[in-house]
Amino acid sequence: MESLNRVEISRSALIHNFQVCRQLAGDAAILPLVKADGYGHGMIDCARIFASQGAAAFGVAEAIEGVRLREAGITQPILVLVGVVPQTLPAIVDARLTPVVTDATILPALSRLAGASGSELGLHLKVDAGMGRQGTLPADFRDLVRAVLATPHLRLDGVMAHFPLADDRQSDNSAEVLRTFQQTTAMLADFNCGKCCLHLANSGGLFYVAGARLDMVRPGIALYGYYPDGAAGTATASPPRLRPAMRYVTRIIQVRRVPKGSGLGYCHLFTTARPSTLAVLPVGYANGYLRNLTGRAEVLIGGRRAPVVGRISMNLALVDVTDLPEPQVGDEVVLLGRQGQGEIGADEIAGWMETISYEVLCLFGQLNARVLVD
C-alpha cells in the first residue's frame, strides 16, 4: 500500500540544477549541501545523483548523516557542519568524516581517536567572518591554526565561513564578509601547512557575490530548484533557470455538496456564501500542510486553482471546487508543483506560511512518502 500523499522528486531537475551551479562555479569545486535529508528531497538519493555529476564533497549537519552516506556508498569527503562534540567523535573518525572545528577544545580528543585508529584526520576550520553564529573570531584564527598544526594525527584541509546576507543583493555586508575572510585566511601563508581549501559561498554567494567562489562553493537551496532570495530571484533569473525538483500531490477522498450558510471545519472559520461543492483531501499539518495555510492556500485540480477553505486539521483539508468541472473521488490534487498549465511553487507557499522555501521543502519532503521520478 502507498500513502495517498506523495512527494515526487525529479532526478532530471536535480541534475539540471547541479549543472547550473557547475557553470556558475567556474573552476571551483562543488560541495552540495545534503543535510536535513537533502532539504526534504532525500539525502542518499540526492548525494548519489550529485556524485554522478562530479560533486567534490558533501555537507551534512550531524555526524549520523555522514555515517548514513558512508553506509550508502558515498566515498567523497563529507563535512560535518554541526555537532562536533566528544559524543560524536568516534563516529567521525570511524566513518572518515571531516569535522568542521570552531575552537581548539576538541583537538586533543580528535587527536587521540585518530592516533588510536592509526590514521591522520583532515579537518576544516570555521571562521566567524560576520555571520555571528558559530566559528572562531578572526583575532583568534592564528592561534587556532597553530594549535591544529601542533597537534599530532590532525591535518588542516580547509577553512570556511558563512554569509549572513548573501540573499540581499542590495546589502554591502557580503562584500565585507568576503574581505574579512580573505584577510583572515591570508595569514595561512605564514604557516607551512600545504594546500588549504577556502570556501565561503552558499547559494546566495554563488549567484550574487562577486569573487566569492574561491576554491569551493557550497550550494544548497539552488540545487533543489529555488533561488536564495525567493520569488525575487525567480523573477529576475537569467537562463538557464533553476527547476524545482519537488512535487507534492494528494487525492480527493470525497466530493460533498453543501447548502449556503454551512460552517466548515473546526471553529467554523469559513461559512459558505452559496451552495458549494467541496473536495475533501487527506492532508493536514501532520503532513506539513500547516494550520496557518488556512484561508490562504490554493491547490491545483485539473490544472486549475481552487482555494482551501475552513480550518486545516491534522489529516484533512477542504477545497472549494464549485467552479471546477465535476471533480471526482481519486482525482489528483497538486499542493506543490505543476499540473497542466498551472503551477504552485514553494516560494508562493512560503508566502502563505510566512516563512521561506527552505522550510516548505523540508516539511513536505520529510513528512510524506517520497519517490524519485524520471
Side-chain angles (χ1 to χ4, degrees):
M1 289 293 295
E2 294 182 352
S3 172
L4 293 170
N5 304 311
R6 168 186 170 108
V7 168
E8 300 172 350
I9 306 300
S10 168
R11 183 194 307 268
S12 62
L14 293 172
I15 292 173
H16 169 83
N17 297 332
F18 185 94
Q19 293 304 325
V20 171
C21 291
R22 170 75 279 161
Q23 181 178 331
L24 288 172
D27 294 332
I30 296 183
L31 181 154
L33 288 178
V34 293
K35 62 179 182 172
D37 203 11
Y39 289 41
H41 292 68
M43 176 180 69
I44 291 173
D45 284 335
C46 289
R48 286 172 173 164
I49 290 168
F50 297 146
S52 74
Q53 299 301 303
F58 292 97
V60 298
E62 295 193 59
I64 189 171
E65 296 171 300
V67 171
R68 289 170 180 159
L69 287 178
R70 286 283 183 251
E71 292 173 345
I74 298 300
T75 60
Q76 287 84 351
I78 300 171
L79 273 64
V80 179
L81 303 173
V82 176
V84 179
V85 297
Q87 293 85 345
T88 64
L89 298 188
I92 287 173
V93 174
D94 289 347
R96 297 170 289 106
L97 307 179
T98 302
V100 174
V101 172
T102 57
D103 59 55
T105 58
I106 205 71
L107 298 181
L110 270 175
S111 175
R112 285 194 302 272
L113 288 168
S117 71
S119 62
E120 184 179 59
L121 181 68
L123 56 82
H124 287 226
L125 301 179
K126 187 169 188 178
V127 177
D128 180 3
M131 181 70 184
R133 185 177 61 181
Q134 187 187 34
T136 188
L137 293 172
D140 301 323
F141 179 68
R142 181 182 293 273
D143 289 341
L144 181 55
V145 172
R146 187 178 291 114
V148 172
L149 298 180
T151 304
H153 312 300
L154 300 182
R155 182 183 69 249
L156 179 58
D157 285 347
V159 183
M160 65 175 291
H162 197 54
F163 284 119
L165 290 169
D167 56 346
D168 183 354
R169 291 185 252 182
Q170 307 306 314
S171 173
D172 295 328
N173 175 268
S174 294
E176 295 173 8
V177 170
L178 175 59
R179 183 164 52 251
T180 297
F181 183 70
Q182 290 177 316
Q183 291 172 348
T184 302
T185 55
M187 68 181 68
L188 289 170
D190 299 337
F191 299 92
N192 185 24
C193 56
K195 175 61 178 174
C196 191
C197 178
L198 304 181
H199 51 112
L200 174 60
N202 52 4
S203 293
L206 174 60
F207 277 74
Y208 305 139
V209 183
R213 281 67 172 165
L214 306 180
D215 299 315
M216 187 164 67
V217 296
R218 306 189 307 267
I221 194 67
L223 292 171
Y224 306 105
Y226 288 90
Y227 292 87
D229 51 345
T234 302
T236 59
S238 301
R241 296 166 63 94
L242 299 173
R243 298 178 188 167
M246 181 182 291
R247 187 171 181 262
Y248 181 19
V249 301
T250 188
R251 297 281 174 179
I252 296 174
I253 61 170
Q254 184 183 9
V255 177
R256 305 183 64 228
R257 291 171 177 82
V258 300
K260 176 181 177 180
S262 297
L264 305 182
Y266 287 120
C267 305
H268 283 186
L269 295 183
F270 183 89
T271 301
T272 57
R274 59 178 176 172
S276 299
T277 303
L278 306 174
V280 183
L281 310 182
V283 65
Y285 56 79
N287 314 101
Y289 211 64
L290 301 186
R291 287 174 90 241
N292 70 350
L293 289 170
T294 297
R296 303 176 179 182
E298 296 179 335
V299 301
L300 295 173
I301 301 176
R304 294 175 58 180
R305 288 191 175 226
V308 176
V309 294
R311 173 78 79 187
I312 293 171
S313 53
M314 185 180 292
N315 301 106
L316 290 168
L318 301 174
V319 177
D320 187 343
V321 294
T322 308
D323 297 325
L324 300 187
E326 293 303 319
Q328 302 293 320
V329 169
D331 283 354
E332 180 189 76
V333 179
V334 173
L335 309 170
L336 167 70
R338 180 176 291 279
Q339 187 187 58
Q341 297 302 308
E343 184 172 15
I344 295 174
D347 289 322
E348 184 174 14
I349 296 173
W352 298 333
M353 283 189 180
E354 300 180 9
T355 183
I356 55 177
S357 61
Y358 304 66
E359 185 174 9
V360 172
L361 298 174
C362 288
L363 281 170
F364 291 174
Q366 294 182 35
L367 292 176
N368 295 281
R370 192 174 54 215
V371 60
L372 194 64
V373 299
D374 65 32

